[in-house]
Amino acid sequence: MEFTDEKLKEFNGSDASKPIYVAVKGRVFDVSAGKSFYGPGGAYCMFAGKDASRALGKMSKNEEDVCGSLDGLSEKEMEVLNDWEKKFEAKYTVVGRIV
């Protein structure tokens, strides 16, 4: 399934009838199993319905970092992001990609 940034926003946990999706490096994961983390009020709810790549790499919860841009990330931040990607792959199903 292909997602635009706008379409992905529909899966931010605000509609209980829809799954919760988070994108990492352009791949969209169904994180509904982690609803307590990614759903409304969860510790990582700011990532729901968005590509969280930059924020994960920078270990940031700042809204301006919650995007798919990897521009300017250091080698260390890319390593952190790659570790996050592996965790997502192990725990959640890929349901699509950002176009």
Side-chain angles (χ1 to χ4, degrees):
M1 188 184 259
E2 294 186 337
F3 293 87
T4 61
D5 288 336
E6 278 305 307
K7 182 72 175 167
L8 187 59
K9 287 178 187 175
E10 295 176 24
F11 300 91
N12 65 4
S14 61
D15 182 342
S17 70
K18 292 183 177 180
I20 302 171
Y21 294 162
V22 172
V24 178
K25 290 170 67 176
R27 292 193 302 158
V28 180
F29 292 85
D30 182 341
V31 299
S32 301
K35 186 176 184 176
S36 61
F37 296 106
Y38 299 102
Y44 300 107
C45 65
M46 74 287 303
F47 298 157
K50 298 178 183 163
D51 189 321
S53 300
R54 184 175 199 77
L56 291 170
K58 293 175 75 67
M59 299 291 288
S60 168
K61 288 186 180 180
N62 295 330
E63 192 160 333
E64 66 269 12
D65 289 327
V66 184
C67 66
S69 173
L70 305 181
D71 293 343
L73 290 184
S74 69
E75 190 175 318
K76 179 68 176 159
E77 289 167 335
M78 284 302 298
E79 287 174 15
V80 170
L81 175 57
N82 291 336
D83 286 345
W84 275 109
E85 184 180 28
K86 286 179 185 134
K87 288 174 185 158
F88 273 75
E89 288 170 343
K91 195 167 186 179
Y92 304 115
T93 303
V94 175
V95 295
R97 63 186 180 91
I98 303 283
V99 292

